[in-house]
């Protein structure tokens, strides 16, 4: 079965085409990225097993439909494409950021599903509109092809009410659905399952803390195979300090700044989401490699940003160990979690008392997937590269197969 995975942002479209015929050995056939959608000219990068050297092209993609068209043209290209006259795929899997309370699983896109995604625009105004635009574009360019929505929030729908409710008047939840939802669910589930496989243990009997650390970062407590708690909330702003987001903060700060500095909700939103976090604290960048370099060179604010980033993650891990009554494993993933050896070491240092004993040689090894604690460490710590696109493809395949067997 061939599955095309599409991930649309406001000005970008990322895609990967998988052959999942052999479930154990999925094959990535092609991948590409259209950037700067909406400008006069957009940048298109494309790679396939027929043209392993990355092609960089200029295309016209004034909207997501034209971007999908560019993707189709590349896949049908006489030299670099994979197909002759027709794109032969079985379904398209779309990353959809917010599924609200309606989706605890992926779903075949129907008018009802589309309406539910639209309803979530109010709480995910940056993410759900481009996700929907990607679905509409694929429906237009590939009429009749099944489209599946895979939600970032779905895995976290198992959180119990005493975990997902805020200390607000209950009507705020009843009337306006204000609660913790959590994000990066596809990644947290994927790396937690892989960790259980690597440990040769039953996923449903483990307590795993997954740390997805990239531009956006979130920590999840996975208890007996289910998301029990997660650091992001109604939106991805809650939780640990991120590249450009504040993470947890006294909500009164927001009111105080808006009042004293006369900021509009829009301006405040930009301050909280795009100007804060590691970038805002350091005054340098949200790129962790750059922050580490500057901190190493003696820049105090880069060091402070790094210390705050690490501290907040340690605090969340500690809280989740307590919340689950212990932990069997911690998993690091995402650009920072997978690559930043020293940040992993710094996070684990204060956690040694819990029984997470780092092995410095293992931590510094070049292996992509690895255990970084000593043999016999009470908590096993793993690095597992995330693969959200592959996971979306697999979930899409499951939905398509269930439709076939039901129909
Ligand atoms: P996104 O959340 O956009 O998917 P990624 O998961 O790719 O982002 O993570 C991007 C972050 O990972 C950036 O801050 C980048 O600096 C950081 N990163 C990537 N490689 C390294 C590395 N070798 N050391 C430290 N940080 C790294």
């Amino acid at each position: 079965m061939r599955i095309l995975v599409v991930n649309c942002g406001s000005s970008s479209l990322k895609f990967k085409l998988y052959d999942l015929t052999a479930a154990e050995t999925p094959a990535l056939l092609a991948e590409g990225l259209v950037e700067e959608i909406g400008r006069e000219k957009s940048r298109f990068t494309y790679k396939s097993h027929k043209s392993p050297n990355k092609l960089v092209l200029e295309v016209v993609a004034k909207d997501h439909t034209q971007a999908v068209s560019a993707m189709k043209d590349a896949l049908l290209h006489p030299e670099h494409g994979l197909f002759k006259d027709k794109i032969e795929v079985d379904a398209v899997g779309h990353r959809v950021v917010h599924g609200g309370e309606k989706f605890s699983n992926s779903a075949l896109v129907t008018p009802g599903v589309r309406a539910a995604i639209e309803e979530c625009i109010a709480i995910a105004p940056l993410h759900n509109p481009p996700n929907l635009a990607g679905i509409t574009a694929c429906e237009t360019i590939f009429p009749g092809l099944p489209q599946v929505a895979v939600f970032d929030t779905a895995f976290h729908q198992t959180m119990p009410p005493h975990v997902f409710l805020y200390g607000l008047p209950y009507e705020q939840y009843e009337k306006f659905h204000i609660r913790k939802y959590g994000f990066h669910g596809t990644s947290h589930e994927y790396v937690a399952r892989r960790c259980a496989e690597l440990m040769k243990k039953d996923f449903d009997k483990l307590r795993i803390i997954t740390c997805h650390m990239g531009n956006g970062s979130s920590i999840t407590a996975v208890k007996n195979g289910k998301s029990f708690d997660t650091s992001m909330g109604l939106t991805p702003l809650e939780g640990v300090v991120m590249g450009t987001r504040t993470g947890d903060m006294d909500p009164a700060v927001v009111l105080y700044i808006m009042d004293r500095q006369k900021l509009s909700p829009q301006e405040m939103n930009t301050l909280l989401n795009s100007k804060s976090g590691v970038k805002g604290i350091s005054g340098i960048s949200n790129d962790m490699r750059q922050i580490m370099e500057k901190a190493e060179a003696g820049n105090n604010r880069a060091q402070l940003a790094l210390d705050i980033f690490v501290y907040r993650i340690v605090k969340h891990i500690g809280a989740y160990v307590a919340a689950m009554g212990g932990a069997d494993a911690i998993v690091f993933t995402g650009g920072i979690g997978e690559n930043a050896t020293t940040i992993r070491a710094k996070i684990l240092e204060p956690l040694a008392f819990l029984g997470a004993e780092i092995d410095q040689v293992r931590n510094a090894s070049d292996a992509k997937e690895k255990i970084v604690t000593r043999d016999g460490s009470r908590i096993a710590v793993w690095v597992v590269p995330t693969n959200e696109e592959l996971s979306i493809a697999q979930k899409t395949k499951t939905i398509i197969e269930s439709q076939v067997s039901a129909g």
Side-chain angles (χ1 to χ4, degrees):
M1 186 180 279
R2 289 199 201 99
I3 306 285
L4 183 60
V5 174
V6 169
N7 181 355
C8 284
S10 57
S11 64
S12 68
L13 179 151
K14 230 192 272 183
F15 70 90
K16 287 195 177 176
L17 174 61
Y18 288 97
D19 186 343
L20 299 182
T21 310
E24 294 302 311
T25 51
L28 177 62
L29 304 178
E31 61 184 305
L33 171 67
V34 187
E35 291 166 288
E36 298 172 346
I37 295 174
R39 299 239 181 119
E40 281 301 308
K41 288 274 163 58
S42 305
R43 190 181 133 94
F44 181 40
T45 37
Y46 172 81
K47 211 162 81 169
S48 79
H49 69 84
K50 277 180 78 185
S51 57
N53 294 327
K54 205 187 260 180
L55 292 176
V56 183
L57 308 165
E58 257 192 2
V59 294
V60 176
K62 297 251 169 72
D63 56 25
H64 287 86
T65 305
Q66 288 185 335
V68 171
S69 223
M71 167 178 79
K72 181 183 171 187
D73 291 346
L75 293 170
L76 290 173
H77 191 277
E79 196 182 335
H80 312 291
L82 301 178
F83 306 105
K84 247 183 135 193
D85 319 303
K86 190 170 175 280
I87 305 283
E88 286 168 24
V89 301
D90 297 274
V92 186
H94 294 267
R95 176 184 185 210
V96 178
V97 169
H98 219 307
E101 289 190 300
K102 291 230 164 81
F103 300 102
S104 54
N105 210 338
S106 312
L108 186 73
V109 178
T110 59
V113 167
R114 173 184 279 280
I117 300 172
E118 272 166 11
E119 263 176 41
C120 293
I121 289 179
I123 42 178
L126 297 180
H127 295 106
N128 275 28
N131 300 159
L132 268 171
I135 293 173
T136 307
C138 287
E139 282 172 347
T140 309
I141 306 286
F142 308 116
L145 194 62
Q147 315 278 331
V148 172
V150 178
F151 300 94
D152 265 27
T153 47
F155 180 56
H156 301 301
Q157 278 298 299
T158 47
M159 287 188 290
H162 74 277
V163 171
F164 72 64
L165 279 175
Y166 293 125
L168 286 166
Y170 195 69
E171 301 82 67
Q172 293 291 332
Y173 170 58
E174 283 185 314
K175 288 192 188 148
F176 307 111
H177 311 288
I178 294 180
R179 50 160 284 182
K180 180 188 273 288
Y181 288 95
F183 298 87
H184 292 142
T186 313
S187 174
H188 287 293
E189 183 182 4
Y190 178 86
V191 299
R193 281 188 187 280
R194 181 71 191 135
C195 171
E197 260 173 41
L198 290 164
M199 291 174 79
K200 301 191 174 54
K201 297 232 167 102
D202 192 347
F203 183 47
D204 296 338
K205 294 196 177 120
L206 286 172
R207 294 159 302 177
I208 305 174
I209 297 168
T210 47
C211 307
H212 180 111
M213 292 147 50
N215 273 319
S217 298
S218 65
I219 319 292
T220 295
V222 184
K223 187 179 177 185
N224 303 332
K226 295 191 173 101
S227 174
F228 177 73
D229 199 351
T230 191
S231 59
M232 285 178 166
L234 174 77
T235 77
L237 193 53
E238 192 182 337
V240 296
V241 162
M242 307 173 215
T244 59
R245 298 188 189 121
T246 57
D248 293 341
M249 201 172 60
D250 180 347
V253 171
V254 178
L255 305 176
Y256 185 76
I257 292 180
M258 287 179 79
D259 187 39
R260 295 300 290 258
Q261 298 172 30
K262 303 284 171 252
L263 298 194
S264 67
Q266 191 56 42
E267 288 165 330
M268 191 65 215
N269 193 39
T270 306
L271 180 76
L272 295 168
N273 273 292
S274 314
K275 295 186 177 171
S276 299
V278 169
K279 183 179 173 190
I281 297 162
S282 68
I284 298 169
S285 164
N286 59 316
D287 189 310
M288 195 49 91
R289 276 169 294 203
Q290 229 180 310
I291 296 300
M292 289 165 76
E293 266 173 40
K294 294 279 183 191
E296 186 71 36
N299 183 301
N300 287 340
R301 273 174 57 191
Q303 186 61 54
L304 188 59
L306 199 54
D307 291 345
I308 294 173
F309 180 82
V310 167
Y311 179 69
R312 294 291 189 96
I313 292 170
V314 171
K315 261 206 323 195
H316 268 85
I317 295 175
Y320 289 166
V321 172
M324 293 196 290
D328 303 296
I330 297 170
V331 184
F332 288 111
T333 196
I336 301 169
E338 290 166 32
N339 300 302
T341 310
T342 53
I343 293 186
R344 286 197 302 263
K346 279 200 171 128
I347 292 171
L348 292 176
E349 206 176 292
L351 298 173
F353 83 99
L354 288 170
E357 296 174 57
I358 192 165
D359 179 319
Q360 300 293 356
V361 175
R362 286 178 174 176
N363 187 40
S365 96
D366 287 338
K368 294 266 175 238
E369 199 173 65
K370 60 195 167 201
I371 187 165
V372 301
T373 36
R374 295 187 192 137
D375 294 343
S377 173
R378 219 164 43 245
I379 299 181
V381 181
W382 293 84
V383 176
V384 177
T386 193
N387 196 339
E388 285 170 283
E389 288 85 6
L390 175 60
S391 184
I392 291 171
Q394 287 165 336
K395 286 174 184 295
T396 301
K397 181 178 180 231
T398 306
I399 294 290
I400 297 300
E401 283 171 346
S402 69
Q403 295 293 315
V404 171
S405 59

